[in-house]
Amino acid sequence: MVATLVDLSRRGDTGGLVVLQVFAAADGLLRTWMAAANAQNPLQQLSIVKAPGEVLGFTGWVIKARLAVLDAGQPVELMSQWVANLTTGALTTHCGLVSGYTPGAALGGYGALTGGVGTTSSLITLLPQPLPLGAVVASSLAVGQEYFAFSITQHTFTNRQAVVVLIAKDVYSGQWHLSFTDMAGALGAVAWIANRPGAVLSTSIRLDYFSSATPLMLTQPVQWNPITPGIASQAPQPQPPVQWFDPVVLPADLALYNRTFGSFGYFIGGDGTQWLQLGPARLAVKVKDGGA
Amino acid sequence: MLTVSAANWTPYDWVSKAAGSVGLRLTEAFTAFAAAVNANPGNAGVPLQLVKDHSSATGTTNFGYIWRLGHPLNPYLLRFYNTSRNQGSSASSSTASFTLALESAYTDDGTFGGYGQFSSMLASVSAGMSYYGPSGSPLFNADGRLIVLMDTTPGSEFFCCNIATTNGDTYAQNHTLMLFRGSASSGWNVALLRSQALAGMFESRNFYCYNNNVLQAAVTYPVAPSGLEQMLVTGVGLIPSGFGPGQMFAYGTKQERLPLPQLFWFGSNQYSDPRRLGRVSNPGGPGTFYQLGAAINSGGMDCWVLVPPSTPAMAGWSTIGSLSSWQTIPDRLYFCPAVPPGPVLMGPVLGPDFLTDWSAVALGAPGVAQHPFYAQQEAAGDNGRPSSGVLWPRGM
């Protein structure tokens, strides 16, 4: 299996704000992919709560995933939010449960998502001058291994790149999970672990080797590190009980490559497979199978 | 076949050579394992052999053994000696040592408590048997245990022995020694985990694996959690240094992993230190977790083992669950298994090399033409996209 790639990169010198043009194009691709993904996963349901172009002065997405899992009799619903303020450049990202979402005035109408993991920063560049934008949508509808990733880079610094949207099956549980990177490489993910039961949040990926120096290694599968209940001290009691966290795992087309935190690096493995790096968190997506 | 066996002594007189003493029971376990796995397919060239055991110790305060790690090209000896009941709590002690060296470097001259010496060594790690009171003074009457885990199943053979005191464990080193096979290496691989007791006492994690037919020091990846996450993980494997042609993890290759045996869990239990001798009913399924080694400080690594229900002990041994010294731990510990890691695609010696590794950072216009992704965009023409305003292909 390999990703279906669509290059949305723009030179940025033909007028207007190139970020908006690219986000609009990505939204179209997302809707097409989502319709197909929903059709082949009828017990789960992805939906777009807010999309680019719906709110003046802001862009981004609020995405909801309803899972085929019940909690207290109700379907579990996850949500991710990636919203840029086009006036101030403020960027708000969050992943969590839908129960933490307050629709309405916050973020110009995108609403407020709380209770999960997220970041705020002002790292998106919105200059009126021409500014190129690298942008790729990588997606797959392979059954059980579905994902949609939209990645942008405003320049090659690691603080102006993001995987704006990453909707993927947790291939361990078979349920959707949602994640993002902000424009500085901070990660966020929310998934549902059937064994607990409960939501699990993550802000990091289980990485073999942190350094960008050799040995350079493309490793699979990609697994999130769960955020475990914090231990502030040995007192007070009661403490969080012993717990087990089932893995949350990205589809087989995705890997980690520790060469660089920069977007759109390209790697050819010893088995002939070819990989494109997405965003600032070292995720890579397979774009070509090996010859052998 | 997996067996998990335990023996217990009150007190634990490790210098004793009486029948049933700790050194001789270790011999019993190791020789049973060697006899079973040497007959396995794939092990013909790598027989394990007992060279010396505790009965070879000279003097009344010595302890030791030598095991031979057979290999068709480079057999190694694993030597452990402890020549004083009071070898000091300092990691610089020379009276207690775990040593790995080529068999060809060995001289059996009766030195070092009867265990001989090596002209050169791969590893010499201070690792002693003594135990201490809270004051730092040696004690000679602690209770202790020997736990032996072994799997003789072809392809996933491992032998693990764990020695710890069961009272006052906070003040004793407990150590866990592991021999294991993996299809990625050509011989027996070795792990030694030493858990610190007194501050300043021996504490480390040492790993060695056959790489290009030579035993070599290795590190573990992914790095096991060592912070306050109170997290234990599986899926940790070895990667030796040196990535040249013919070595494991050579640059540009596809390399199978060399995982530590999957029964073992590694991570952190620091905040709750000194919780030791822990036992946890598996919160995620059948079986029981037992703590073999404890991480005492930053960078330390807990070692736990998940024992399946009804795992038998060797004949004549107790089951691990029958030891009365386990402390049931109800809280502040999280088990986070890994899915089995896949093979690694190794990158180039240096990146970018413009043959297998391109970075957008390093491109420039000439680089664009060589970047596989952008070059495809160029070759495809406008690809149905607007003829102006798109970044790739650009008019060059």
Side-chain angles (χ1 to χ4, degrees), chain A residues 167-198:
Chain A
I167 304 169
K169 280 289 178 66
D170 165 10
V171 301
Y172 192 86
S173 69
Q175 305 290 320
W176 292 116
H177 78 296
L178 303 174
S179 56
F180 64 83
T181 71
D182 70 5
M183 295 294 271
L187 291 157
V190 61
W192 186 264
I193 298 185
N195 86 289
R196 291 171 52 76

PDB file of all heavy atoms in Angstrom, chain A residues 167-198:
ATOM      1  N   ILE A 167      -6.211  12.332  10.318  1.00  0.00           N
ATOM      2  CA  ILE A 167      -7.280  11.422  10.729  1.00  0.00           C
ATOM      3  C   ILE A 167      -6.801  10.037  10.331  1.00  0.00           C
ATOM      4  O   ILE A 167      -6.434   9.823   9.178  1.00  0.00           O
ATOM      5  CB  ILE A 167      -8.594  11.740   9.985  1.00  0.00           C
ATOM      6  CG1 ILE A 167      -9.013  13.195  10.201  1.00  0.00           C
ATOM      7  CG2 ILE A 167      -9.698  10.774  10.419  1.00  0.00           C
ATOM      8  CD1 ILE A 167     -10.154  13.637   9.266  1.00  0.00           C
ATOM      9  N   ALA A 168      -6.771   9.118  11.261  1.00  0.00           N
ATOM     10  CA  ALA A 168      -6.243   7.798  10.910  1.00  0.00           C
ATOM     11  C   ALA A 168      -6.910   6.731  11.753  1.00  0.00           C
ATOM     12  O   ALA A 168      -7.345   6.987  12.878  1.00  0.00           O
ATOM     13  CB  ALA A 168      -4.732   7.752  11.118  1.00  0.00           C
ATOM     14  N   LYS A 169      -6.960   5.546  11.202  1.00  0.00           N
ATOM     15  CA  LYS A 169      -7.355   4.404  12.018  1.00  0.00           C
ATOM     16  C   LYS A 169      -6.268   4.146  13.050  1.00  0.00           C
ATOM     17  O   LYS A 169      -5.082   4.213  12.733  1.00  0.00           O
ATOM     18  CB  LYS A 169      -7.523   3.161  11.129  1.00  0.00           C
ATOM     19  CG  LYS A 169      -8.839   3.077  10.379  1.00  0.00           C
ATOM     20  CD  LYS A 169      -9.999   2.789  11.312  1.00  0.00           C
ATOM     21  CE  LYS A 169     -11.331   2.750  10.577  1.00  0.00           C
ATOM     22  NZ  LYS A 169     -11.417   1.631   9.626  1.00  0.00           N
ATOM     23  N   ASP A 170      -6.685   3.875  14.274  1.00  0.00           N
ATOM     24  CA  ASP A 170      -5.796   3.207  15.218  1.00  0.00           C
ATOM     25  C   ASP A 170      -5.854   1.740  14.807  1.00  0.00           C
ATOM     26  O   ASP A 170      -6.875   1.075  15.027  1.00  0.00           O
ATOM     27  CB  ASP A 170      -6.286   3.433  16.651  1.00  0.00           C
ATOM     28  CG  ASP A 170      -5.627   2.478  17.649  1.00  0.00           C
ATOM     29  OD1 ASP A 170      -4.667   1.778  17.266  1.00  0.00           O
ATOM     30  OD2 ASP A 170      -6.095   2.432  18.796  1.00  0.00           O
ATOM     31  N   VAL A 171      -4.806   1.259  14.174  1.00  0.00           N
ATOM     32  CA  VAL A 171      -4.899  -0.071  13.584  1.00  0.00           C
ATOM     33  C   VAL A 171      -4.923  -1.158  14.662  1.00  0.00           C
ATOM     34  O   VAL A 171      -5.194  -2.316  14.370  1.00  0.00           O
ATOM     35  CB  VAL A 171      -3.767  -0.336  12.572  1.00  0.00           C
ATOM     36  CG1 VAL A 171      -3.805   0.684  11.447  1.00  0.00           C
ATOM     37  CG2 VAL A 171      -2.403  -0.315  13.246  1.00  0.00           C
ATOM     38  N   TYR A 172      -4.650  -0.779  15.915  1.00  0.00           N
ATOM     39  CA  TYR A 172      -4.748  -1.759  17.005  1.00  0.00           C
ATOM     40  C   TYR A 172      -6.203  -1.977  17.408  1.00  0.00           C
ATOM     41  O   TYR A 172      -6.650  -3.105  17.594  1.00  0.00           O
ATOM     42  CB  TYR A 172      -3.917  -1.297  18.198  1.00  0.00           C
ATOM     43  CG  TYR A 172      -3.738  -2.368  19.244  1.00  0.00           C
ATOM     44  CD1 TYR A 172      -2.708  -3.300  19.141  1.00  0.00           C
ATOM     45  CD2 TYR A 172      -4.610  -2.474  20.325  1.00  0.00           C
ATOM     46  CE1 TYR A 172      -2.550  -4.294  20.077  1.00  0.00           C
ATOM     47  CE2 TYR A 172      -4.457  -3.469  21.272  1.00  0.00           C
ATOM     48  CZ  TYR A 172      -3.420  -4.383  21.137  1.00  0.00           C
ATOM     49  OH  TYR A 172      -3.275  -5.372  22.074  1.00  0.00           O
ATOM     50  N   SER A 173      -6.961  -0.873  17.523  1.00  0.00           N
ATOM     51  CA  SER A 173      -8.353  -0.994  17.963  1.00  0.00           C
ATOM     52  C   SER A 173      -9.327  -1.029  16.794  1.00  0.00           C
ATOM     53  O   SER A 173     -10.483  -1.416  16.960  1.00  0.00           O
ATOM     54  CB  SER A 173      -8.714   0.190  18.870  1.00  0.00           C
ATOM     55  OG  SER A 173      -8.761   1.388  18.115  1.00  0.00           O
ATOM     56  N   GLY A 174      -8.887  -0.593  15.609  1.00  0.00           N
ATOM     57  CA  GLY A 174      -9.791  -0.500  14.474  1.00  0.00           C
ATOM     58  C   GLY A 174     -10.691   0.718  14.505  1.00  0.00           C
ATOM     59  O   GLY A 174     -11.576   0.864  13.659  1.00  0.00           O
ATOM     60  N   GLN A 175     -10.472   1.614  15.454  1.00  0.00           N
ATOM     61  CA  GLN A 175     -11.279   2.832  15.564  1.00  0.00           C
ATOM     62  C   GLN A 175     -10.486   4.033  15.041  1.00  0.00           C
ATOM     63  O   GLN A 175      -9.263   4.054  15.086  1.00  0.00           O
ATOM     64  CB  GLN A 175     -11.663   3.083  17.034  1.00  0.00           C
ATOM     65  CG  GLN A 175     -12.363   1.920  17.711  1.00  0.00           C
ATOM     66  CD  GLN A 175     -13.766   1.692  17.181  1.00  0.00           C
ATOM     67  OE1 GLN A 175     -14.491   2.644  16.919  1.00  0.00           O
ATOM     68  NE2 GLN A 175     -14.139   0.433  17.025  1.00  0.00           N
ATOM     69  N   TRP A 176     -11.232   5.058  14.600  1.00  0.00           N
ATOM     70  CA  TRP A 176     -10.570   6.299  14.193  1.00  0.00           C
ATOM     71  C   TRP A 176      -9.872   6.933  15.389  1.00  0.00           C
ATOM     72  O   TRP A 176     -10.321   6.817  16.527  1.00  0.00           O
ATOM     73  CB  TRP A 176     -11.599   7.315  13.652  1.00  0.00           C
ATOM     74  CG  TRP A 176     -12.229   6.922  12.349  1.00  0.00           C
ATOM     75  CD1 TRP A 176     -13.547   6.641  12.142  1.00  0.00           C
ATOM     76  CD2 TRP A 176     -11.589   6.805  11.078  1.00  0.00           C
ATOM     77  NE1 TRP A 176     -13.760   6.341  10.820  1.00  0.00           N
ATOM     78  CE2 TRP A 176     -12.583   6.431  10.143  1.00  0.00           C
ATOM     79  CE3 TRP A 176     -10.279   6.973  10.628  1.00  0.00           C
ATOM     80  CZ2 TRP A 176     -12.305   6.229   8.793  1.00  0.00           C
ATOM     81  CZ3 TRP A 176     -10.008   6.760   9.281  1.00  0.00           C
ATOM     82  CH2 TRP A 176     -11.008   6.392   8.382  1.00  0.00           C
ATOM     83  N   HIS A 177      -8.790   7.647  15.109  1.00  0.00           N
ATOM     84  CA  HIS A 177      -8.265   8.568  16.109  1.00  0.00           C
ATOM     85  C   HIS A 177      -7.768   9.820  15.403  1.00  0.00           C
ATOM     86  O   HIS A 177      -7.548   9.813  14.189  1.00  0.00           O
ATOM     87  CB  HIS A 177      -7.210   7.921  17.000  1.00  0.00           C
ATOM     88  CG  HIS A 177      -5.843   7.792  16.375  1.00  0.00           C
ATOM     89  ND1 HIS A 177      -5.597   7.022  15.274  1.00  0.00           N
ATOM     90  CD2 HIS A 177      -4.658   8.342  16.724  1.00  0.00           C
ATOM     91  CE1 HIS A 177      -4.311   7.099  14.970  1.00  0.00           C
ATOM     92  NE2 HIS A 177      -3.722   7.898  15.835  1.00  0.00           N
ATOM     93  N   LEU A 178      -7.672  10.893  16.150  1.00  0.00           N
ATOM     94  CA  LEU A 178      -7.398  12.219  15.586  1.00  0.00           C
ATOM     95  C   LEU A 178      -6.108  12.770  16.175  1.00  0.00           C
ATOM     96  O   LEU A 178      -5.827  12.590  17.362  1.00  0.00           O
ATOM     97  CB  LEU A 178      -8.552  13.182  15.905  1.00  0.00           C
ATOM     98  CG  LEU A 178      -9.944  12.734  15.435  1.00  0.00           C
ATOM     99  CD1 LEU A 178     -11.009  13.710  15.941  1.00  0.00           C
ATOM    100  CD2 LEU A 178      -9.990  12.631  13.919  1.00  0.00           C
ATOM    101  N   SER A 179      -5.353  13.471  15.332  1.00  0.00           N
ATOM    102  CA  SER A 179      -4.107  14.057  15.836  1.00  0.00           C
ATOM    103  C   SER A 179      -3.710  15.240  14.976  1.00  0.00           C
ATOM    104  O   SER A 179      -4.307  15.510  13.932  1.00  0.00           O
ATOM    105  CB  SER A 179      -2.988  13.009  15.864  1.00  0.00           C
ATOM    106  OG  SER A 179      -2.807  12.447  14.585  1.00  0.00           O
ATOM    107  N   PHE A 180      -2.699  15.955  15.413  1.00  0.00           N
ATOM    108  CA  PHE A 180      -2.206  17.137  14.701  1.00  0.00           C
ATOM    109  C   PHE A 180      -0.769  17.375  15.107  1.00  0.00           C
ATOM    110  O   PHE A 180      -0.280  16.835  16.100  1.00  0.00           O
ATOM    111  CB  PHE A 180      -3.039  18.384  15.061  1.00  0.00           C
ATOM    112  CG  PHE A 180      -2.923  18.762  16.512  1.00  0.00           C
ATOM    113  CD1 PHE A 180      -1.840  19.522  16.963  1.00  0.00           C
ATOM    114  CD2 PHE A 180      -3.857  18.336  17.437  1.00  0.00           C
ATOM    115  CE1 PHE A 180      -1.708  19.839  18.307  1.00  0.00           C
ATOM    116  CE2 PHE A 180      -3.721  18.654  18.792  1.00  0.00           C
ATOM    117  CZ  PHE A 180      -2.643  19.400  19.218  1.00  0.00           C
ATOM    118  N   THR A 181      -0.068  18.194  14.343  1.00  0.00           N
ATOM    119  CA  THR A 181       1.069  18.926  14.908  1.00  0.00           C
ATOM    120  C   THR A 181       0.766  20.399  14.739  1.00  0.00           C
ATOM    121  O   THR A 181       0.076  20.803  13.802  1.00  0.00           O
ATOM    122  CB  THR A 181       2.410  18.610  14.220  1.00  0.00           C
ATOM    123  OG1 THR A 181       2.396  19.182  12.913  1.00  0.00           O
ATOM    124  CG2 THR A 181       2.658  17.126  14.127  1.00  0.00           C
ATOM    125  N   ASP A 182       1.266  21.191  15.675  1.00  0.00           N
ATOM    126  CA  ASP A 182       1.141  22.635  15.486  1.00  0.00           C
ATOM    127  C   ASP A 182       2.300  23.104  14.607  1.00  0.00           C
ATOM    128  O   ASP A 182       3.024  22.292  14.022  1.00  0.00           O
ATOM    129  CB  ASP A 182       1.044  23.363  16.824  1.00  0.00           C
ATOM    130  CG  ASP A 182       2.356  23.353  17.612  1.00  0.00           C
ATOM    131  OD1 ASP A 182       3.378  22.871  17.084  1.00  0.00           O
ATOM    132  OD2 ASP A 182       2.332  23.835  18.754  1.00  0.00           O
ATOM    133  N   MET A 183       2.485  24.418  14.497  1.00  0.00           N
ATOM    134  CA  MET A 183       3.500  24.918  13.568  1.00  0.00           C
ATOM    135  C   MET A 183       4.911  24.808  14.144  1.00  0.00           C
ATOM    136  O   MET A 183       5.877  25.247  13.522  1.00  0.00           O
ATOM    137  CB  MET A 183       3.204  26.382  13.212  1.00  0.00           C
ATOM    138  CG  MET A 183       1.904  26.564  12.430  1.00  0.00           C
ATOM    139  SD  MET A 183       1.918  25.816  10.776  1.00  0.00           S
ATOM    140  CE  MET A 183       2.578  27.163   9.793  1.00  0.00           C
ATOM    141  N   ALA A 184       5.057  24.239  15.330  1.00  0.00           N
ATOM    142  CA  ALA A 184       6.378  24.118  15.934  1.00  0.00           C
ATOM    143  C   ALA A 184       6.715  22.682  16.301  1.00  0.00           C
ATOM    144  O   ALA A 184       7.636  22.445  17.065  1.00  0.00           O
ATOM    145  CB  ALA A 184       6.470  25.000  17.174  1.00  0.00           C
ATOM    146  N   GLY A 185       5.991  21.747  15.764  1.00  0.00           N
ATOM    147  CA  GLY A 185       6.337  20.349  15.996  1.00  0.00           C
ATOM    148  C   GLY A 185       5.700  19.735  17.213  1.00  0.00           C
ATOM    149  O   GLY A 185       5.949  18.568  17.502  1.00  0.00           O
ATOM    150  N   ALA A 186       4.899  20.503  17.963  1.00  0.00           N
ATOM    151  CA  ALA A 186       4.207  19.897  19.097  1.00  0.00           C
ATOM    152  C   ALA A 186       3.102  18.997  18.578  1.00  0.00           C
ATOM    153  O   ALA A 186       2.371  19.349  17.657  1.00  0.00           O
ATOM    154  CB  ALA A 186       3.628  20.967  20.012  1.00  0.00           C
ATOM    155  N   LEU A 187       2.992  17.830  19.185  1.00  0.00           N
ATOM    156  CA  LEU A 187       2.026  16.825  18.753  1.00  0.00           C
ATOM    157  C   LEU A 187       0.854  16.773  19.714  1.00  0.00           C
ATOM    158  O   LEU A 187       0.987  17.080  20.896  1.00  0.00           O
ATOM    159  CB  LEU A 187       2.680  15.448  18.756  1.00  0.00           C
ATOM    160  CG  LEU A 187       3.758  15.169  17.721  1.00  0.00           C
ATOM    161  CD1 LEU A 187       4.654  14.045  18.201  1.00  0.00           C
ATOM    162  CD2 LEU A 187       3.121  14.824  16.397  1.00  0.00           C
ATOM    163  N   GLY A 188      -0.270  16.346  19.168  1.00  0.00           N
ATOM    164  CA  GLY A 188      -1.402  16.039  20.029  1.00  0.00           C
ATOM    165  C   GLY A 188      -2.201  14.927  19.388  1.00  0.00           C
ATOM    166  O   GLY A 188      -2.306  14.855  18.158  1.00  0.00           O
ATOM    167  N   ALA A 189      -2.726  14.057  20.199  1.00  0.00           N
ATOM    168  CA  ALA A 189      -3.560  12.973  19.675  1.00  0.00           C
ATOM    169  C   ALA A 189      -4.574  12.568  20.724  1.00  0.00           C
ATOM    170  O   ALA A 189      -4.315  12.664  21.924  1.00  0.00           O
ATOM    171  CB  ALA A 189      -2.712  11.761  19.286  1.00  0.00           C
ATOM    172  N   VAL A 190      -5.723  12.130  20.225  1.00  0.00           N
ATOM    173  CA  VAL A 190      -6.728  11.560  21.109  1.00  0.00           C
ATOM    174  C   VAL A 190      -7.226  10.268  20.473  1.00  0.00           C
ATOM    175  O   VAL A 190      -7.435  10.186  19.267  1.00  0.00           O
ATOM    176  CB  VAL A 190      -7.891  12.545  21.375  1.00  0.00           C
ATOM    177  CG1 VAL A 190      -8.610  12.922  20.078  1.00  0.00           C
ATOM    178  CG2 VAL A 190      -8.876  11.976  22.386  1.00  0.00           C
ATOM    179  N   ALA A 191      -7.355   9.248  21.308  1.00  0.00           N
ATOM    180  CA  ALA A 191      -7.866   7.960  20.853  1.00  0.00           C
ATOM    181  C   ALA A 191      -8.672   7.362  21.994  1.00  0.00           C
ATOM    182  O   ALA A 191      -8.709   7.897  23.105  1.00  0.00           O
ATOM    183  CB  ALA A 191      -6.718   7.030  20.454  1.00  0.00           C
ATOM    184  N   TRP A 192      -9.315   6.269  21.687  1.00  0.00           N
ATOM    185  CA  TRP A 192     -10.116   5.590  22.698  1.00  0.00           C
ATOM    186  C   TRP A 192      -9.556   4.195  22.871  1.00  0.00           C
ATOM    187  O   TRP A 192      -9.400   3.463  21.908  1.00  0.00           O
ATOM    188  CB  TRP A 192     -11.580   5.513  22.269  1.00  0.00           C
ATOM    189  CG  TRP A 192     -12.467   4.959  23.348  1.00  0.00           C
ATOM    190  CD1 TRP A 192     -12.879   3.674  23.489  1.00  0.00           C
ATOM    191  CD2 TRP A 192     -13.040   5.688  24.428  1.00  0.00           C
ATOM    192  NE1 TRP A 192     -13.670   3.551  24.602  1.00  0.00           N
ATOM    193  CE2 TRP A 192     -13.792   4.775  25.203  1.00  0.00           C
ATOM    194  CE3 TRP A 192     -12.994   7.027  24.843  1.00  0.00           C
ATOM    195  CZ2 TRP A 192     -14.495   5.149  26.351  1.00  0.00           C
ATOM    196  CZ3 TRP A 192     -13.690   7.395  25.984  1.00  0.00           C
ATOM    197  CH2 TRP A 192     -14.435   6.461  26.722  1.00  0.00           C
ATOM    198  N   ILE A 193      -9.226   3.847  24.088  1.00  0.00           N
ATOM    199  CA  ILE A 193      -8.687   2.523  24.347  1.00  0.00           C
ATOM    200  C   ILE A 193      -9.793   1.671  24.923  1.00  0.00           C
ATOM    201  O   ILE A 193     -10.298   1.945  26.012  1.00  0.00           O
ATOM    202  CB  ILE A 193      -7.499   2.589  25.318  1.00  0.00           C
ATOM    203  CG1 ILE A 193      -6.376   3.407  24.683  1.00  0.00           C
ATOM    204  CG2 ILE A 193      -7.001   1.189  25.625  1.00  0.00           C
ATOM    205  CD1 ILE A 193      -5.125   3.429  25.514  1.00  0.00           C
ATOM    206  N   ALA A 194     -10.178   0.653  24.183  1.00  0.00           N
ATOM    207  CA  ALA A 194     -11.305  -0.164  24.601  1.00  0.00           C
ATOM    208  C   ALA A 194     -11.034  -0.865  25.920  1.00  0.00           C
ATOM    209  O   ALA A 194     -11.932  -1.105  26.706  1.00  0.00           O
ATOM    210  CB  ALA A 194     -11.632  -1.182  23.518  1.00  0.00           C
ATOM    211  N   ASN A 195      -9.768  -1.208  26.180  1.00  0.00           N
ATOM    212  CA  ASN A 195      -9.507  -2.026  27.363  1.00  0.00           C
ATOM    213  C   ASN A 195      -9.666  -1.258  28.675  1.00  0.00           C
ATOM    214  O   ASN A 195      -9.801  -1.858  29.722  1.00  0.00           O
ATOM    215  CB  ASN A 195      -8.114  -2.650  27.293  1.00  0.00           C
ATOM    216  CG  ASN A 195      -7.038  -1.732  27.842  1.00  0.00           C
ATOM    217  OD1 ASN A 195      -6.706  -0.718  27.229  1.00  0.00           O
ATOM    218  ND2 ASN A 195      -6.506  -2.061  29.004  1.00  0.00           N
ATOM    219  N   ARG A 196      -9.623   0.074  28.628  1.00  0.00           N
ATOM    220  CA  ARG A 196      -9.601   0.761  29.938  1.00  0.00           C
ATOM    221  C   ARG A 196     -10.968   0.813  30.614  1.00  0.00           C
ATOM    222  O   ARG A 196     -11.005   0.448  31.785  1.00  0.00           O
ATOM    223  CB  ARG A 196      -9.023   2.177  29.738  1.00  0.00           C
ATOM    224  CG  ARG A 196      -7.554   2.109  29.386  1.00  0.00           C
ATOM    225  CD  ARG A 196      -7.006   3.456  28.971  1.00  0.00           C
ATOM    226  NE  ARG A 196      -7.259   4.536  29.883  1.00  0.00           N
ATOM    227  CZ  ARG A 196      -6.616   4.731  31.030  1.00  0.00           C
ATOM    228  NH1 ARG A 196      -5.712   3.884  31.397  1.00  0.00           N
ATOM    229  NH2 ARG A 196      -6.905   5.734  31.797  1.00  0.00           N
ATOM    230  N   PRO A 197     -12.080   1.230  30.062  1.00  0.00           N
ATOM    231  CA  PRO A 197     -12.205   1.984  28.828  1.00  0.00           C
ATOM    232  C   PRO A 197     -12.008   3.457  29.131  1.00  0.00           C
ATOM    233  O   PRO A 197     -12.263   3.897  30.235  1.00  0.00           O
ATOM    234  CB  PRO A 197     -13.641   1.708  28.417  1.00  0.00           C
ATOM    235  CG  PRO A 197     -14.365   1.532  29.714  1.00  0.00           C
ATOM    236  CD  PRO A 197     -13.374   0.969  30.701  1.00  0.00           C
ATOM    237  N   GLY A 198     -11.583   4.185  28.114  1.00  0.00           N
ATOM    238  CA  GLY A 198     -11.416   5.610  28.317  1.00  0.00           C
ATOM    239  C   GLY A 198     -10.636   6.221  27.187  1.00  0.00           C
ATOM    240  O   GLY A 198     -10.039   5.519  26.370  1.00  0.00           O
TER     241      GLY A 198
END
